Amino acid sequence: MSLAHFSLRRRIIASFLAMTMAACLLFGFFSFLFAYAVEDSLFADALREEVAHQQAYWRDHGRLDRPTRDYIDLHRDPTTFPADLRSQYGVESDQGEFSGDMGRHYHVGKFDLPGDAGTAYAVAEVSRHLVVRPIREEMLVFLTVWMAGLLLATGLIGYWLANRATSPLTRLAGLVRSYPRVRRTRKPVHARCQPRTAHAARRDPECRRAD
């Protein structure tokens, strides 16, 4: 009973810890996913605004305007891209995000110019404007410390609840151990046959042998 009590308590505590760890890991994963998605959406919006501005300017003036943001460059052909981007980019590629050398990070937007004037490319080198990637290690450390603290608190609460849940079993085990054990002995044949009637004794084989 004692082993079952301790085993049940360990299972209760382990269940609390497992649920808490799963929740923490899911929270950390979705936090990073949300942060990266928001950051990328900001750069994507900036490229869309730049593309809309350049298309409108070309329609009015027949040429490209200066970029509206200092981290965006305009190109008429991928051959003029920076070398670390040019080696990765394919004209038919649908990929719009690339990692370059020396920590550089590119977002590329391909767009059509009005009047069948061909295509152009808006290239944003955003390494100086990244928010999530530079603090990624600090975020991991924060989430790890936060998860460890939460696991500790959950373990203590689980231990307290497990003790409350298993205390009746502990008391029951103590009562069972303290209850005196009575050894049941088999009566002799003559002792079992004496109180019986003559008819019942004749039906019992052992009583007939005793006679």
Side-chain angles (χ1 to χ4, degrees):
M1 185 67 71
S2 178
L3 290 177
H5 157 66
F6 284 114
S7 177
L8 178 60
R9 184 170 65 183
R10 284 196 296 268
R11 287 199 295 269
I12 293 174
I13 297 174
S15 298
F16 272 85
L17 293 177
M19 288 188 295
T20 303
M21 181 172 291
C24 290
L25 291 176
L26 285 175
F27 175 79
F29 171 75
F30 284 112
S31 296
F32 271 96
L33 189 64
F34 177 76
Y36 277 114
V38 170
E39 185 178 63
D40 288 341
S41 68
L42 294 176
F43 297 130
D45 289 341
L47 281 179
R48 280 193 292 268
E49 291 176 5
E50 184 66 36
V51 167
H53 170 73
Q54 295 299 334
Q55 288 175 330
Y57 195 87
W58 184 279
R59 190 178 299 111
D60 295 336
H61 301 86
R63 61 182 179 86
L64 293 173
D65 191 17
R66 294 182 58 183
T68 58
R69 292 172 173 83
D70 60 353
Y71 58 87
I72 296 179
D73 292 324
L74 299 174
H75 300 266
R76 292 301 307 272
D77 191 87
T79 57
T80 61
F81 285 178
D84 52 352
L85 174 61
R86 186 171 61 247
S87 61
Q88 303 178 61
Y89 189 82
V91 176
E92 301 299 330
S93 175
D94 293 330
Q95 183 179 352
E97 188 174 354
F98 302 88
S99 295
D101 299 334
M102 306 295 293
R104 286 188 288 271
H105 195 80
Y106 298 98
H107 285 255
V108 180
K110 178 182 177 182
F111 60 98
D112 296 323
L113 295 172
D116 296 329
T119 58
Y121 301 84
V123 177
E125 200 288 291
V126 299
S127 59
R128 294 174 298 168
H129 303 275
L130 295 175
V131 176
V132 179
R133 288 169 180 81
I135 62 171
R136 182 169 49 195
E137 294 183 1
E138 288 80 358
M139 290 179 63
L140 286 173
V141 171
F142 171 77
L143 289 174
T144 301
V145 173
W146 177 78
M147 184 174 67
L150 193 58
L151 286 174
L152 178 61
T154 303
L156 293 175
I157 295 174
Y159 181 81
W160 177 72
L161 291 176
N163 280 337
R164 286 179 60 88
T166 57
S167 58
L169 292 177
T170 304
R171 291 194 296 270
L172 179 60
L175 291 174
V176 171
R177 285 194 299 268
S178 63
Y179 190 79
R181 296 184 179 181
V182 179
R183 185 176 180 181
R184 186 175 180 180
T185 58
R186 183 179 177 84
K187 292 183 178 181
V189 174
H190 66 276
R192 290 187 288 111
C193 295
Q194 283 178 357
R196 299 189 176 190
T197 63
H199 177 71
R202 285 195 298 272
R203 293 179 61 186
D204 191 336
E206 292 185 0
C207 293
R208 290 201 302 271
R209 285 196 298 271
D211 294 339

